Every structure is written in C-alpha cells, then in structure tokens.
Amino acid sequence: MPLSFDIATVPFSRYGSFLTISYLKAAGSRPAGIYLRTVRGGDLTAGAAFRIELLEKQIPVAYQVQATPTHLRLESAGGSVDLCICNATTVRWKTDGVGLRLTLEGGDYDYAMQLADDRWEVNSFLNEVRFMAKCLQGALSVDAPWNRTRCTHVALQFEPDESGCAEFTIEEYRTVWQEFPLSTTFEQDVEQVAAEFQHWLAGTLQAGNCASSKGRELAAYITWSCIVPKGGYLTRPAMYMSKNWMTNIWSWDHCFNAMALIQSNPELAWDQFMIFFDRQDESGLLPDFMNDKYALWNCNKPPIHGWTLLWMMERSNWIGERQLLEVYEPLARWTRWWFNYRDDDRDGVPQYNHGNDSGWDNSTIFQERGAVESPDLCAYLVLQCEALMRIAERIGRPHDGTAWRNLGERTLALMLEHFWHNGEMRALRSGSHEPLGGDSLIVYLPIIVADRLPADVKEWLVTGLADSCKFLAPHGFATESLSSAAYEPDGYWRGPIWAPVMMLLVDGLVRAGERDLAQTAAERFCRMAEQSGMAENFNARTGEGLRDRAFTWTSSVYLMLVHEYVTSASSAS
C-alpha cells in the first residue's frame, strides 16, 4: 500500500517546487478550504493563492481528498479530479465527470489577462508571482471583474467536454512565461514523479526491517517535498522546515537536515549545512532564518555547527579538503562572534540575550528580562573549537589548531567553574551571576561533552535524564521537568518534546557510555513520531503532535534515530 496522508496536516508538494496544496482554516475574509499555494516569500508573506472547488452543473459540491506523495485525487459523488505537480513550476490537472473552479482573491492590483483562446495569465501581487492557466481539453472561462486598478477576484472555471473530461495546467513564474509543449500524458507525468520520489526513498536512512515502515516513508516524503530551489536570497537548494506555515529555514534547523542527508546525498547535505554561511555577516553572525526573499537578523540560533560537522565527518568520507577549506573561515568567524559580541561582562562565558538566540524561545531560564549565561552554550563552543582544531590540522594550519584547542579547553574549564555549584548545573544571570529559576532541560545539554566532564558532573546529568519524574517522559525528554510548577503540556519550550533536543541528548548519552538509556529514549521518540506524525513538538505525557505536523527536522531526527539506535524489533512498522 502506498503512503497516504491528510493534507490538513501534511501539504501535497514535491522536490524543488514552491507550489503546494493544503487545507487552510478560515481567516478573515478567506473561507476554509483546499488551496493551491506558493510558499515563496517566507512565513510572513506566503499565503493562499487559489481556492479549489469541484463543480457539478456549475454548483460547488463537497469532495474528499486522497493524497499520496506523488498524486492527489479530489473526489465527489459525481466525479473526480486528479492532479500532480509534474515539475517544479507546473501543476497538471485532469477531471472526470466534474468541473473545477480556482479562485484567487485578496491581493492589491491582482489581474487576469487572456493571451490566447486556451490561455490566461493571472498576476498575483500578494504572492509576487504570475500564474499561467492553459486548457488542454474541455473549456476554460474566467470571471475577473475589474475595479479601478485591480480585479476584485479571479475565478478560473474548467468544464469537461462531451467525453466528460477536462485537462489543464497551472504554471507559476516570476517574469516571462516560456511555453514548453507537453510531450507526455498525465499518467506518464505521475509515473515520472513517482520514480523521482522512489529514488529519494531508496536513499533515505533505514534500519533493518523498518525499511518499509510508514514512519520512514512519511519522513522521507516530508524531507523530499520540502526542498525548494535556489534563487533570490537562497544561494543553494534549501530544505524548508515545512510547507505549512513554517516556510523558512532557521540557522540550527538546517544542521539536522544536513546530518540526515550526509550519507545518501552528501552534496545536498553540504548545501544545507553551508547555506547560512553564504549569507554570513562580516562580524561572523548568522541570520536567524532565511527564505527566498530575505533574512531576519533580530536574533540568532545556537552554535551547534561544530557538533554537527564532527557528527557528519564521523559518518562520511565525502567531506574532504575542499569542503574543509570552504567552511573553516566562516566557522571560525561564527565562533569568534560569540566571544567578541556576546560576553558583556567579559568573564569569558558567552551569553544569550534572548530565548530565541538559544533556540529555546520561552524556556524558564528566560522568564525574566536580561542576558543569560547557560552551560549548553559553552558546551556547543567547546565542540566548535574541537571541530576547528581538527580542520586546521587537516588543512595545514597547526598553529591555528593549537589556538583552537587552547580556547576549547579554557571554555570547558570556565563552564565547570561557572555553572557547577553545590552538586548541580544552573543557568546564571549575566553580570550578577545569580542562579535562574525553573527546572529546564537546557542545563543538561552539556552531556554532549560527556567524555570531557568529571565523573560527578556526568553522573548528575545522566541521573537527571534518566529520572521519569523529571525529564524521561513516556515519549522522550520533556523540555521542562514533569514535576516543575512551570511545566505546560503545550508550553512550547516549557514541557513538550522536541526532535533536535532528542538528537543532541541521545548522541551525548552514547558518548557518555549510556547507550541503553539513549536507546530507550530514541525508541520512545520514534514510536511517538510514527503514531503522531512529524510534528514540530509533542506533548511529553500523551505523545500528541503539537503545532505544525509536517516538520523536516523532526523527520530528519526520526530517520537518524531509527537508523542508529532503534532496532527493527522495537520500532512500530
């Protein structure tokens, strides 16, 4: 049985395309329904394009949606519409027994213009693109009332011919439309897209008998379909976090997607890893997020890039001297940025100015205003220094290597001196160094440098992670202690389980020699993701998927954990 999914939670799209079809809730004047969308412009601007309606005798009728990775069917009592996204910019449609209407409205200066008997151009200012509607079979009529400077709406209506069928394409473009005559049938296009997805699926990480699991196939589809092409602000093909509404890439999310690709698709993995360094500020800062239109610089994300690079180098010989020369200076500038620009009290311990800078936006360590010194940041920088030391040695810069080793050792010593007091780790207020409240999992992330820690520190970290009354929830690691007064089931970083944290902690536990605990946590997370979907985060107690349920970093982490730590016998198929 091919994978099927609900487009109310998982959009229908394909590799290399900004086009997607998904269900949108009612918002303002927009009615609820199934929409053909473009995700250009990021999550602040990308929105609905055409609302999709099936027609019987010119009247809209209810329909059901059947979605697979390569084919979408809309079916009513009187007929059906089949469609596929046959290339990066084109949706191909075929109706049987019903008509179809696509309605665009809401954008200033939108208009429609007939260019030929079978062809209309629709200019969507809101989405900053144009669409070409071309009728291949049946009839196309357009309702586009003009009001001063725009069409109040544009409704494209396709009706079947005497055989009961209609066929047409909708193409997205920015400037000039170029016609490419169709040389294939609809069915051949579906077969070609299916072959492309199967090729991706065959290269997706797998684990023994789990190779045919629905979880693996769903994760593969989400990662495949969320790739958008380079262009505009994007210097390389980019795996968006989702094609629901998180239609950007963030500067730590991209690391997990790169990790999941490094063994099967190393060039694309390297593109994911390097894309933020292509837009690096001269100070060394990386933007918080990017899309095809712009980047946001108001905050940033934690420096997990050294940890990521070391992880990938351990698993792939593809990363050679050319790649190391490419990344060395950008990674060095990113590392120095933290010491140069995020250490206001000049104590050698960098800080987070806002929760968003840590990736843990509203964690309880950020519940009061002010800069925070947190042990996880030091741990990341220790590994970043190690990565730079190894690279420097491989590219013939031994003096640089010594300097990075010394900085890493000094940062580790300061981390222990600074945060380890009275038998526990605590985050501190920068400047005053007063301990901060809450019982957040973030202070346990130094487990990623477990092989460098004193025995008592490592024991405290492992004991807390293993405690089912604190962090080891039924489905993985809760981000706020289950016994904390600040715990919230859907509190974002105050309780729910997050995939990136699972990956960091499982990897750290393995390095600490705690493979059984790492495997237990990994198995719990993977079973939950198989049952609840690849959500942005999860209720720690119930396993319910929260917020966006088609997230790529969750898919990537699921695939890595299943591949490395979950046995085929323990994973649900």
Short mmCIF file of all heavy atoms in Angstrom, two decimals, residues 67-99:
data_model
loop_
_atom_site.label_atom_id
_atom_site.label_comp_id
_atom_site.label_asym_id
_atom_site.label_seq_id
_atom_site.Cartn_x
_atom_site.Cartn_y
_atom_site.Cartn_z
N ALA A 67 -4.51 11.73 -0.75
CA ALA A 67 -3.17 12.22 -1.05
C ALA A 67 -2.13 11.13 -0.88
O ALA A 67 -2.12 10.40 0.12
CB ALA A 67 -2.82 13.40 -0.14
N THR A 68 -1.27 10.98 -1.86
CA THR A 68 -0.06 10.16 -1.78
C THR A 68 1.11 11.08 -2.10
O THR A 68 0.92 12.22 -2.52
CB THR A 68 -0.11 8.99 -2.77
OG1 THR A 68 0.03 9.50 -4.11
CG2 THR A 68 -1.42 8.21 -2.64
N PRO A 69 2.34 10.63 -1.94
CA PRO A 69 3.47 11.53 -2.20
C PRO A 69 3.52 12.11 -3.61
O PRO A 69 4.11 13.17 -3.82
CB PRO A 69 4.69 10.63 -1.94
CG PRO A 69 4.21 9.68 -0.90
CD PRO A 69 2.79 9.37 -1.29
N THR A 70 2.89 11.46 -4.58
CA THR A 70 3.07 11.90 -5.97
C THR A 70 1.77 12.17 -6.71
O THR A 70 1.81 12.58 -7.87
CB THR A 70 3.87 10.84 -6.76
OG1 THR A 70 3.21 9.57 -6.66
CG2 THR A 70 5.27 10.70 -6.19
N HIS A 71 0.64 11.98 -6.07
CA HIS A 71 -0.64 12.06 -6.77
C HIS A 71 -1.72 12.49 -5.79
O HIS A 71 -1.77 12.00 -4.67
CB HIS A 71 -0.97 10.69 -7.37
CG HIS A 71 -2.28 10.61 -8.08
ND1 HIS A 71 -3.12 9.53 -7.94
CD2 HIS A 71 -2.91 11.47 -8.91
CE1 HIS A 71 -4.21 9.72 -8.68
NE2 HIS A 71 -4.11 10.90 -9.27
N LEU A 72 -2.57 13.43 -6.23
CA LEU A 72 -3.66 13.91 -5.39
C LEU A 72 -4.97 13.70 -6.13
O LEU A 72 -5.08 14.01 -7.32
CB LEU A 72 -3.48 15.40 -5.08
CG LEU A 72 -4.35 16.00 -3.98
CD1 LEU A 72 -3.94 15.44 -2.62
CD2 LEU A 72 -4.22 17.52 -3.96
N ARG A 73 -5.96 13.16 -5.42
CA ARG A 73 -7.29 12.97 -6.02
C ARG A 73 -8.33 13.70 -5.17
O ARG A 73 -8.35 13.55 -3.94
CB ARG A 73 -7.66 11.50 -6.14
CG ARG A 73 -9.13 11.27 -6.47
CD ARG A 73 -9.42 9.86 -6.94
NE ARG A 73 -8.98 9.70 -8.32
CZ ARG A 73 -9.35 8.67 -9.11
NH1 ARG A 73 -10.17 7.73 -8.64
NH2 ARG A 73 -8.91 8.59 -10.36
N LEU A 74 -9.18 14.48 -5.83
CA LEU A 74 -10.32 15.13 -5.21
C LEU A 74 -11.55 14.45 -5.77
O LEU A 74 -11.78 14.45 -6.97
CB LEU A 74 -10.34 16.63 -5.57
CG LEU A 74 -8.99 17.36 -5.47
CD1 LEU A 74 -9.13 18.79 -5.97
CD2 LEU A 74 -8.45 17.33 -4.06
N GLU A 75 -12.37 13.87 -4.87
CA GLU A 75 -13.46 13.01 -5.35
C GLU A 75 -14.78 13.41 -4.72
O GLU A 75 -14.91 13.52 -3.51
CB GLU A 75 -13.15 11.54 -5.03
CG GLU A 75 -14.07 10.56 -5.72
CD GLU A 75 -13.51 9.16 -5.72
OE1 GLU A 75 -12.59 8.87 -4.92
OE2 GLU A 75 -13.97 8.34 -6.54
N SER A 76 -15.78 13.65 -5.60
CA SER A 76 -17.14 13.94 -5.16
C SER A 76 -18.03 12.77 -5.56
O SER A 76 -17.58 11.81 -6.18
CB SER A 76 -17.64 15.23 -5.80
OG SER A 76 -17.86 15.03 -7.19
N ALA A 77 -19.32 12.89 -5.25
CA ALA A 77 -20.26 11.82 -5.63
C ALA A 77 -20.38 11.68 -7.13
O ALA A 77 -20.63 10.59 -7.65
CB ALA A 77 -21.63 12.11 -5.01
N GLY A 78 -20.17 12.80 -7.87
CA GLY A 78 -20.38 12.77 -9.31
C GLY A 78 -19.15 12.62 -10.16
O GLY A 78 -19.25 12.47 -11.38
N GLY A 79 -17.97 12.68 -9.57
CA GLY A 79 -16.76 12.58 -10.38
C GLY A 79 -15.52 12.88 -9.56
O GLY A 79 -15.56 12.93 -8.33
N SER A 80 -14.42 13.11 -10.26
CA SER A 80 -13.14 13.29 -9.57
C SER A 80 -12.21 14.19 -10.37
O SER A 80 -12.38 14.39 -11.58
CB SER A 80 -12.46 11.93 -9.34
OG SER A 80 -12.18 11.30 -10.58
N VAL A 81 -11.23 14.73 -9.65
CA VAL A 81 -10.14 15.49 -10.25
C VAL A 81 -8.83 14.89 -9.77
O VAL A 81 -8.64 14.70 -8.56
CB VAL A 81 -10.20 16.98 -9.86
CG1 VAL A 81 -9.00 17.73 -10.43
CG2 VAL A 81 -11.50 17.62 -10.33
N ASP A 82 -7.95 14.58 -10.69
CA ASP A 82 -6.63 14.08 -10.36
C ASP A 82 -5.60 15.15 -10.72
O ASP A 82 -5.75 15.86 -11.73
CB ASP A 82 -6.32 12.80 -11.13
CG ASP A 82 -7.20 11.64 -10.69
OD1 ASP A 82 -6.95 11.11 -9.61
OD2 ASP A 82 -8.15 11.31 -11.42
N LEU A 83 -4.57 15.25 -9.92
CA LEU A 83 -3.53 16.23 -10.22
C LEU A 83 -2.19 15.75 -9.71
O LEU A 83 -2.09 14.94 -8.78
CB LEU A 83 -3.88 17.59 -9.64
CG LEU A 83 -4.02 17.71 -8.12
CD1 LEU A 83 -2.73 18.21 -7.49
CD2 LEU A 83 -5.16 18.65 -7.77
N CYS A 84 -1.15 16.27 -10.35
CA CYS A 84 0.21 16.05 -9.88
C CYS A 84 1.01 17.32 -10.16
O CYS A 84 0.65 18.12 -11.03
CB CYS A 84 0.86 14.83 -10.54
SG CYS A 84 1.40 15.08 -12.23
N ILE A 85 2.06 17.52 -9.39
CA ILE A 85 2.98 18.63 -9.65
C ILE A 85 4.09 18.03 -10.50
O ILE A 85 5.02 17.41 -10.00
CB ILE A 85 3.50 19.23 -8.33
CG1 ILE A 85 2.32 19.67 -7.46
CG2 ILE A 85 4.42 20.42 -8.61
CD1 ILE A 85 2.71 20.19 -6.09
N CYS A 86 3.92 18.19 -11.83
CA CYS A 86 4.74 17.40 -12.75
C CYS A 86 6.16 17.93 -12.90
O CYS A 86 7.05 17.21 -13.34
CB CYS A 86 4.06 17.27 -14.10
SG CYS A 86 3.68 18.83 -14.92
N ASN A 87 6.37 19.20 -12.57
CA ASN A 87 7.73 19.72 -12.48
C ASN A 87 7.74 20.85 -11.45
O ASN A 87 6.70 21.11 -10.82
CB ASN A 87 8.26 20.17 -13.85
CG ASN A 87 7.41 21.26 -14.48
OD1 ASN A 87 7.04 22.23 -13.83
ND2 ASN A 87 7.09 21.10 -15.76
N ALA A 88 8.83 21.52 -11.29
CA ALA A 88 8.96 22.48 -10.20
C ALA A 88 7.96 23.61 -10.25
O ALA A 88 7.60 24.18 -9.22
CB ALA A 88 10.37 23.06 -10.19
N THR A 89 7.44 23.93 -11.43
CA THR A 89 6.58 25.11 -11.56
C THR A 89 5.19 24.81 -12.12
O THR A 89 4.43 25.74 -12.32
CB THR A 89 7.26 26.14 -12.50
OG1 THR A 89 7.48 25.55 -13.79
CG2 THR A 89 8.58 26.61 -11.92
N THR A 90 4.87 23.54 -12.34
CA THR A 90 3.62 23.22 -13.05
C THR A 90 2.78 22.19 -12.31
O THR A 90 3.28 21.14 -11.92
CB THR A 90 3.93 22.66 -14.46
OG1 THR A 90 4.79 23.57 -15.14
CG2 THR A 90 2.65 22.46 -15.25
N VAL A 91 1.50 22.52 -12.14
CA VAL A 91 0.52 21.57 -11.64
C VAL A 91 -0.34 21.13 -12.81
O VAL A 91 -0.89 21.98 -13.54
CB VAL A 91 -0.38 22.18 -10.54
CG1 VAL A 91 -1.31 21.11 -9.97
CG2 VAL A 91 0.45 22.81 -9.45
N ARG A 92 -0.46 19.83 -13.00
CA ARG A 92 -1.27 19.28 -14.10
C ARG A 92 -2.53 18.65 -13.52
O ARG A 92 -2.46 17.90 -12.55
CB ARG A 92 -0.47 18.26 -14.89
CG ARG A 92 -1.16 17.81 -16.18
CD ARG A 92 -0.20 17.09 -17.10
NE ARG A 92 -0.85 16.71 -18.35
CZ ARG A 92 -0.22 16.14 -19.38
NH1 ARG A 92 1.09 15.87 -19.28
NH2 ARG A 92 -0.88 15.83 -20.47
N TRP A 93 -3.68 18.96 -14.13
CA TRP A 93 -4.98 18.56 -13.62
C TRP A 93 -5.72 17.76 -14.68
O TRP A 93 -5.62 18.04 -15.88
CB TRP A 93 -5.82 19.78 -13.27
CG TRP A 93 -5.14 20.85 -12.48
CD1 TRP A 93 -4.11 21.65 -12.90
CD2 TRP A 93 -5.46 21.26 -11.15
NE1 TRP A 93 -3.76 22.53 -11.90
CE2 TRP A 93 -4.56 22.32 -10.83
CE3 TRP A 93 -6.40 20.85 -10.21
CZ2 TRP A 93 -4.59 22.96 -9.59
CZ3 TRP A 93 -6.43 21.50 -8.98
CH2 TRP A 93 -5.54 22.53 -8.68
N LYS A 94 -6.54 16.80 -14.22
CA LYS A 94 -7.38 16.02 -15.12
C LYS A 94 -8.69 15.72 -14.41
O LYS A 94 -8.69 15.15 -13.31
CB LYS A 94 -6.67 14.72 -15.52
CG LYS A 94 -7.38 13.93 -16.59
CD LYS A 94 -6.53 12.74 -17.04
CE LYS A 94 -7.20 12.00 -18.20
NZ LYS A 94 -6.35 10.86 -18.66
N THR A 95 -9.81 16.13 -15.01
CA THR A 95 -11.11 15.94 -14.38
C THR A 95 -11.88 14.83 -15.08
O THR A 95 -11.69 14.58 -16.27
CB THR A 95 -11.94 17.23 -14.40
OG1 THR A 95 -12.50 17.41 -15.71
CG2 THR A 95 -11.11 18.45 -14.05
N ASP A 96 -12.76 14.21 -14.36
CA ASP A 96 -13.62 13.15 -14.90
C ASP A 96 -15.02 13.32 -14.31
O ASP A 96 -15.24 13.05 -13.13
CB ASP A 96 -13.07 11.78 -14.56
CG ASP A 96 -13.89 10.64 -15.17
OD1 ASP A 96 -14.79 10.91 -15.99
OD2 ASP A 96 -13.62 9.48 -14.81
N GLY A 97 -15.97 13.84 -15.10
CA GLY A 97 -17.36 13.93 -14.66
C GLY A 97 -17.71 15.17 -13.88
O GLY A 97 -18.87 15.37 -13.52
N VAL A 98 -16.74 16.03 -13.60
CA VAL A 98 -17.00 17.25 -12.84
C VAL A 98 -16.21 18.41 -13.45
O VAL A 98 -15.24 18.21 -14.18
CB VAL A 98 -16.60 17.11 -11.35
CG1 VAL A 98 -17.51 16.12 -10.63
CG2 VAL A 98 -15.14 16.70 -11.22
N GLY A 99 -16.65 19.62 -13.13
CA GLY A 99 -15.88 20.79 -13.45
C GLY A 99 -15.05 21.20 -12.26
O GLY A 99 -15.13 20.62 -11.17
#
